[in-house]
Amino acid sequence: MKYSRVPWALWAVLPVGGLAFHYGPGQRLFLDERAADLQRSADQLEREAMGQQGAAYAKHLEALQARRAALLDPAPEAESRAREATEAESRAFQKASAAWKRAAEAFGQIQEAATHASPETLQKIRWSRSRALVRAGDIWTGIAELESMIDEFERAGSAGSVLARATREELASAYYYAARLMRLSGDPAEEWLFESGKARQHFRYLAEQARAKGLGTEVAQNHERNVELVLDLEQSSLFEVQGKPLPKDSPLGRAGNRPGRGDGKRKRPPQQRDGRGAGGAEDVRTGW
């Protein structure tokens, strides 16, 4: 008779075991599945944003050509085409910015859900979100996050890792985007030069590290060419800069005021050797 109570006792504790699973391993499994779903959604939104960015860049090149034509021949028809092309350019970049914002929000949701992910996985998510923020036009928020990641890599002794190098390259690019937009907006030279100087030094550091670590001649040359492009921005006249296309992944508009600008002085790369010699009036290549 006493054994007949055992099944009832087991039945009684089943709900407790179920709750323990739900709030323990079961909850973690749910979060992992939710994070995976969010990752797929974020990847799709990122692809859509890249498509919108490509379309905006095409409109940018068309508008640039139309403005050049109107400058050479200021006829009413040419000026009208330039205005229409510029308006189409603005609308296209607004769509791209909105798409990148949606992607950034999606990656932010993954960060909240993937609490049990490995540190490297979380860093990759932060990298993706930061890049999306920069391309959406929220340049300073993206830069602050990328700077924070660089600090963490350096404290952990992993500044030479693949992800750390990718983070530094995104940070250098973001500095360049900011400097160029600031210059086009008429900001004081000392302010945009502050940002372009950091872009130049980070690209120089990446080039030196690529050669020192044997990462390939092409990798080093790409970084060195980026140094030349930053120098070109610094040494060209404003009129010359206005006549050249933006980098393909750059947002359009004002960069805005950098909060806490003085803090950025700490984010320079370990080696601070400047390059010399501007790169001329060549267009920025795809991906820059």
Side-chain angles (χ1 to χ4, degrees):
M1 183 68 178
K2 62 182 180 181
Y3 295 108
S4 64
R5 297 179 181 178
V6 173
W8 290 103
L10 291 174
W11 180 259
V13 301
L14 277 178
V16 178
L19 288 173
F21 178 80
H22 177 72
Y23 290 106
Q27 183 72 1
R28 176 172 178 174
L29 180 61
F30 170 76
L31 289 174
D32 290 345
E33 290 175 350
R34 179 168 181 266
D37 290 339
L38 290 171
Q39 180 70 57
R40 286 189 288 271
S41 176
D43 289 343
Q44 177 61 34
L45 289 171
E46 185 180 54
R47 287 191 292 270
E48 292 174 3
M50 289 179 177
Q52 292 287 355
Q53 186 73 28
Y57 187 68
K59 292 295 183 183
H60 171 60
L61 296 180
E62 291 175 7
L64 191 62
Q65 185 62 35
R67 289 192 289 267
R68 287 172 178 168
L71 184 64
L72 295 173
D73 179 19
E77 297 80 3
E79 292 181 353
S80 178
R81 286 193 294 270
R83 283 194 301 271
E84 292 175 359
T86 299
E87 290 171 359
E89 171 193 37
S90 178
R91 290 193 298 269
F93 271 100
Q94 288 173 3
K95 289 182 179 179
S97 175
W100 281 116
K101 286 178 182 177
R102 289 192 293 271
E105 290 171 359
F107 284 116
Q109 291 174 351
I110 299 173
Q111 283 183 271
E112 296 175 358
T115 54
H116 297 287
S118 67
E120 184 178 4
T121 297
L122 291 174
Q123 286 172 335
K124 289 179 180 178
I125 296 169
R126 288 175 63 192
W127 178 86
S128 296
R129 177 176 178 272
S130 301
R131 183 178 67 161
L133 285 170
V134 170
R135 296 182 183 188
D138 194 358
I139 295 179
W140 302 122
T141 303
I143 282 178
E145 187 69 11
L146 292 166
E147 289 175 338
S148 176
M149 290 181 66
I150 290 294
D151 283 346
E152 292 173 15
F153 286 128
E154 291 176 348
R155 287 196 299 269
S158 58
S161 67
V162 173
L163 184 56
R165 291 196 302 271
T167 302
R168 192 181 295 277
E169 184 171 1
E170 285 296 326
L171 178 59
S173 299
Y175 286 143
Y176 179 84
Y177 299 161
R180 185 158 182 167
L181 293 177
M182 290 169 71
R183 187 171 188 195
L184 290 172
S185 298
D187 289 2
E190 65 177 12
E191 294 185 10
W192 63 262
L193 281 169
F194 181 81
E195 307 302 335
S196 70
K198 287 184 289 184
R200 173 166 34 83
Q201 291 183 20
H202 278 286
F203 280 127
R204 172 65 66 187
Y205 176 77
L206 285 166
E208 292 172 350
Q209 289 298 299
R211 292 196 180 278
K213 296 181 179 297
L215 300 179
T217 302
E218 184 177 357
V219 174
Q221 289 178 343
N222 283 338
H223 292 314
E224 289 167 353
R225 187 174 183 278
N226 288 339
V227 173
E228 297 294 317
L229 290 171
V230 178
L231 284 165
D232 185 67
L233 170 66
E234 295 174 343
Q235 298 177 6
S236 297
S237 68
L238 177 59
F239 180 76
E240 290 173 328
V241 174
Q242 290 171 334
K244 298 174 184 177
L246 289 168
K248 182 177 180 294
D249 293 322
S250 172
L252 183 69
R254 292 188 60 86
N257 296 324
R258 187 191 206 328
R261 196 192 81 168
D263 294 340
K265 294 180 180 179
R266 297 183 294 105
K267 309 303 180 184
R268 298 185 184 275
Q271 301 177 16
Q272 302 183 23
R273 288 180 8 205
D274 292 344
R276 290 292 180 265
E282 56 186 337
D283 289 345
V284 178
R285 291 190 297 181
T286 299
W288 223 94

